Amino acid sequence: MFGTIRKHQQWLWIFIATITIISFVYFFSPDAKWGGRIRSNQGDFGSMKDKPVTREQWMPANKETMLRYFFQGNGKWPEMDENTRRSIDRDTLIRLFLIDKLKEMDIQVSDTAVARLNKERLGSYPLSQFEKEHLERQAISLEDYDRFLRHEIGIQQLMGAAAVCGKLVNPAEAEDIYKRLNQEYATELAVFAASNYISKVLATPEAIGQFYTQRQSFYRLPERLVVSYVEFPATNYFAKADELMNKQSTNVTEMLNKRYLGMGTNKLTGPDGKELNEADTKKKLREEIRENTALQEARRAASEFGGELMDKVGNSQPTIQLFENFAAAKSLPTKTTPPFDRAHGLENTNFPPDFATRAFALGVANPIGYSPIIGDNAVYVIGLKERQPSVPQPFEKVKDKVTEDFKHEKALEVARNSGTNFVTTATNSLAQKKSFAEICAAAKVPHINLPPLAQSTPPFTNLETVVNMQNLKSLVRDVPPGQMSKFDPTPEGGVVLYVDKKLPMDEAKFKKEFPEFLGRLRLERQNEAFNQWFRKQAEQAKLQLPKRDVPSSVSAGGTSGR
C-alpha cells in the first residue's frame, strides 16, 4: 500500500530533510521552551506571536502531524509514550507556525498537485478503504487528510522560496570540496593494545587489595528493580488476525503480490539456504502479516487494559496492589521479573529494550506504566513492585573482577607509555630513512598497512576495536606525507599513524560521482539557507511549547493506543 513512497524518494528526502532541519532549529531557538507541567487535553496549547494557541487551531494541526508520523512510519501510527507525545507537541507547534507562514505568503496549492501527492502516498489503495481502516481509528476525516496533503505541498514550496539562495554553489568551489573529501593517502598504523601487555603486569595480592579499596564504589551492586507485568502474547490473537485477514482477503492477496514483485532479486530463503519459490515466499510473507496483525491486536488489548486501569485509578493514589488486583479481576495473570539494574537491563530475555527504560521511569508516586510496551512477540503493561537500593559487595565476591580490572588498567598504562616512547625512537629512525614497517618490526610493535584513507572513507570494519575512524581522519588531515602522528590514545591503548604519500586522484571516479555530489551540496546549502530563515522567523514568532499538567491519555484526534 505505502510502497509507492520509495518511487518518489528524492522528493520525500528533500521534505523529510526540511522537517529535520526545522526540528533541530526549533530546539535551539531561544524562545522555544518546554513548560514545567504536562498538558491536559483541555488545557494549554502553547503560544505563538505572544498569543495563546487555541484548541481550534491545535487539533487540526495535531491531526496533520499524526498523519506525517504515519506516513514516515510506513503506515504505522506512532507509539504513544511520553517522549513521543513531547515530539508530537513540538512538531504540531512547528506545523502551526509553518501553516501561518503559508497564509502570510499566500502560497496556493492546486487540486492537481494534491491528487498527485495522494497518488504517491496511497498508490492504488482506495481512498474510502484508507479512511475506514486507518483514518477512522484516529478520528481523522478525509477532510483532515486533504488539508494535510495541501499543507505538505505548501510547506515544500515554502522551503523552496525561503531557501532559493542556497542553490547557488560555484562548481569550482564544489570540485575543491569534493577533492578535499576524497583525496586518498597511503597510511600505516602502529598499534599499542593493552591486551598485548597483560603479561608484563605484576598482580600481587597487596596491589589488588589496594586497587579494590580505592575503587569500592565501582563494585557496588547497583540499584535494581522488580517489576510486575501483564503480558499480551501475539499468539493469543492469531484467531483474531485470521478473522481480519479473511475479511480483507482481496487486499491481502494484492499486498502479497506487490511485496513479492517488489522484492526483485532479493528473494527469501529456506532453512537449507536455498531460494524459496513464489508460493512458499508468499506463504512466508503471509505469516509475517499474520504475526504483525496479531501483535497489533495484542497492542489494542493492552491499550484498553491500560486505559481502563487509568480510569479505575482516577484521582486516587495508584499502587502496585491496585495494578495486580485489577489484572486478577480481568483474569489476566500477573508475572514478576527477576531483579535487574539500569545498565544491564533484563539480559537473556525476550523483553524489548524499552521495558527496562520505562520501568526505571516509575516511582513511588507513579508506580504504574499505563501505556503498552511493544515487543517483537508480545505487548506488556507494567507496574513497579520493588526498588532494591544499591549495596556494597565484599572483596571476596568480586575478587576475579577486581583482578581483571587491575591487570587491564596497568597494562593500559604500559601500552601508552610504550607508544609515547616509540614516537621518540621512530622519529629518529625515520630521519635515518628507515621504513615505518622496519621501525615497528625492530620495536616488536604490531604494524598494519591500511587501505587508502580519505575524509570520505567509510569505517574499516576489521579495525573498529583498534581505532576510531574519526580519529584516523583527523590524524591524516594533520600529518604531512612522509611523517607520523603523535601517539593517539584509544580506550584499549593507542596508535601511531604514518602517512606515506598522497595517492593520485581517480579521475574516472570523479567524473562519475561529481554531478551527484554537486546536487547534494546544493541541497545542503538550500537546507542551511532555510535553517537560517526559519531560525529568524521562529524567534520573531516567539514560539512557546505547551505546558503540561496531567498525563495525557488522548493523542491527536484519537486515542493514545486505546
Side-chain angles (χ1 to χ4, degrees):
M1 160 182 161
F2 303 105
T4 52
I5 287 179
R6 298 186 183 91
K7 298 179 183 178
H8 311 275
Q9 192 172 26
Q10 178 64 21
W11 189 92
L12 286 175
W13 189 91
I14 295 173
F15 179 74
I16 292 171
T18 304
I19 296 301
T20 302
I21 294 295
I22 289 171
S23 299
F24 177 84
V25 173
Y26 183 74
F27 269 119
F28 292 91
S29 190
D31 292 314
K33 303 172 183 175
W34 281 105
R37 308 190 313 274
I38 297 182
R39 176 181 57 80
S40 70
N41 195 46
Q42 302 295 328
D44 176 33
F45 293 97
S47 64
M48 184 170 62
K49 297 180 179 179
D50 290 325
K51 295 181 180 179
V53 174
T54 66
R55 179 181 176 82
E56 288 70 26
Q57 292 173 306
W58 179 270
M59 295 309 293
N62 200 229
K63 291 178 180 180
E64 292 182 33
T65 301
M66 288 290 288
L67 281 164
R68 185 171 67 80
Y69 275 64
F70 174 80
F71 282 108
Q72 286 185 352
N74 201 25
K76 294 182 179 179
W77 297 108
E79 304 291 345
M80 278 303 146
D81 57 35
E82 188 54 36
N83 288 334
T84 304
R85 290 192 185 99
R86 285 181 178 272
S87 296
I88 290 174
D89 278 357
R90 177 203 64 202
D91 292 346
T92 297
L93 187 60
I94 289 172
R95 196 169 186 90
L96 270 175
F97 168 74
L98 293 174
I99 291 170
D100 183 69
K101 281 296 174 184
L102 295 180
K103 295 176 182 177
E104 180 182 311
M105 299 176 69
D106 194 28
I107 293 178
Q108 304 293 326
V109 176
S110 68
D111 292 341
T112 302
V114 172
R116 183 171 61 250
L117 181 56
N118 175 63
K119 182 69 174 177
E120 291 174 356
R121 298 288 186 171
L122 300 185
S124 59
Y125 195 67
L127 192 59
S128 58
Q129 191 172 330
F130 175 58
E131 177 187 27
K132 182 176 180 181
E133 295 186 356
H134 297 279
L135 300 184
E136 286 183 356
R137 296 181 181 182
Q138 296 290 323
I140 297 176
S141 67
L142 286 179
E143 181 181 353
D144 296 324
Y145 176 61
D146 179 80
R147 186 181 64 252
F148 160 76
L149 294 177
R150 291 181 185 277
H151 287 157
E152 291 284 276
I153 298 168
I155 290 170
Q156 182 62 29
Q157 294 176 2
L158 174 65
M159 176 189 173
V164 64
C165 62
K167 298 178 182 178
L168 304 177
V169 179
N170 187 321
E173 177 193 6
E175 181 176 337
D176 181 64
I177 294 172
Y178 174 90
K179 290 185 175 180
R180 192 162 63 245
L181 291 174
N182 291 277
Q183 176 60 62
E184 294 181 333
Y185 294 84
T187 59
E188 302 169 45
L189 203 64
V191 181
F192 299 84
S195 57
N196 294 335
Y197 296 88
I198 293 288
S199 60
K200 298 180 181 296
V201 175
L202 181 61
T204 65
E206 294 77 16
I208 295 172
Q210 184 179 12
F211 184 83
Y212 168 76
T213 301
Q214 294 171 343
R215 295 166 177 78
Q216 286 189 52
S217 61
F218 290 101
Y219 300 102
R220 292 180 65 90
L221 194 63
E223 177 188 51
R224 297 186 297 170
L225 301 184
V226 176
V227 168
S228 290
Y229 64 94
V230 176
E231 182 179 23
F232 296 82
T235 52
N236 290 358
Y237 300 89
F238 277 159
K240 181 64 175 179
D242 292 337
E243 178 186 340
L244 292 172
M245 291 174 67
N246 289 335
K247 288 182 179 179
Q248 301 293 331
S249 58
T250 302
N251 296 327
V252 171
T253 300
E254 180 183 356
M255 187 186 304
L256 289 172
N257 290 335
K258 285 184 177 180
R259 288 187 63 181
Y260 180 77
L261 293 174
M263 294 174 71
T265 58
N266 300 319
K267 302 300 184 182
L268 299 179
T269 57
D272 57 0
K274 294 182 179 179
E275 186 177 297
L276 298 177
N277 60 32
E278 180 176 352
D280 288 339
T281 298
K282 288 183 177 179
K283 181 179 179 181
K284 195 169 183 177
L285 292 174
R286 183 182 180 86
E287 188 59 32
E288 290 179 4
I289 295 174
R290 181 180 187 241
E291 290 171 358
N292 289 335
T293 303
L295 190 63
Q296 289 177 6
E297 290 303 309
R299 175 189 171 186
R300 187 187 306 279
S303 298
E304 290 176 355
F305 174 84
E308 291 176 13
L309 178 57
M310 181 184 291
D311 294 339
K312 176 75 173 178
V313 172
N315 295 324
S316 62
Q317 172 61 40
T319 64
I320 190 63
Q321 289 75 23
L322 192 153
F323 171 82
E324 294 176 344
N325 291 341
F326 183 80
K330 290 278 188 180
S331 299
L332 294 171
T334 303
K335 302 178 182 179
T336 304
T337 67
F340 63 94
D341 61 68
R342 188 186 298 271
H344 300 96
L346 287 155
E347 296 178 342
N348 303 318
T349 70
N350 292 323
F351 293 113
D354 198 31
F355 191 101
T357 303
R358 295 271 291 276
F360 272 93
L362 302 178
V364 175
N366 59 323
I368 301 175
Y370 301 101
S371 299
I373 301 172
I374 316 299
D376 292 335
N377 303 301
V379 183
Y380 308 87
V381 179
I382 65 174
L384 178 60
K385 189 173 185 68
E386 182 183 356
R387 187 180 291 270
Q388 299 178 354
S390 173
V391 294
Q393 297 189 85
F395 173 73
E396 291 303 323
K397 189 169 184 180
V398 293
K399 180 179 178 180
D400 291 344
K401 174 62 175 171
V402 174
T403 302
E404 178 185 342
D405 292 347
F406 172 82
K407 289 182 177 180
H408 180 268
E409 180 166 306
K410 296 304 177 183
L412 194 60
E413 291 178 10
V414 176
R416 289 176 175 173
N417 288 335
S418 299
T420 302
N421 295 334
F422 171 85
V423 171
T424 301
T425 303
T427 300
N428 296 329
S429 298
L430 284 175
Q432 298 170 12
K433 304 302 181 182
K434 292 184 179 180
S435 72
F436 192 70
E438 290 174 336
I439 297 169
C440 290
K444 298 181 179 179
V445 173
H447 169 269
I448 300 174
N449 279 311
L450 296 174
L453 179 62
Q455 297 302 310
S456 60
T457 303
F460 300 136
T461 54
N462 59 329
L463 293 175
E464 288 178 344
T465 59
V466 176
V467 63
N468 179 277
M469 193 65 177
Q470 289 306 117
N471 286 7
L472 271 185
K473 292 179 180 180
S474 177
L475 293 174
V476 78
R477 186 172 58 242
D478 298 336
V479 177
Q483 297 186 28
M484 66 179 178
S485 71
K486 295 180 180 180
F487 176 74
D488 185 51
T490 68
E492 294 302 318
V495 297
V496 176
L497 180 73
Y498 174 70
V499 180
D500 182 31
K501 60 185 176 181
K502 180 188 292 188
L503 299 174
M505 180 66 67
D506 187 337
E507 292 299 328
K509 180 182 177 184
F510 167 73
K511 290 180 180 179
K512 179 181 178 182
E513 294 182 352
F514 183 70
E516 182 181 349
F517 176 83
L518 179 60
R520 290 201 311 269
L521 185 60
R522 285 173 172 166
L523 184 58
E524 288 173 8
R525 294 286 178 85
Q526 187 179 11
N527 278 340
E528 289 173 6
F530 183 80
N531 190 334
Q532 295 173 4
W533 174 87
F534 182 87
R535 177 184 291 276
K536 181 178 179 180
Q537 298 297 320
E539 288 177 356
Q540 292 175 353
K542 299 179 181 179
L543 301 183
Q544 180 76 34
L545 285 161
K547 294 179 181 178
R548 313 183 124 210
D549 44 40
V550 296
S552 173
S553 61
V554 181
S555 68
T559 61
S560 56
R562 291 175 59 181

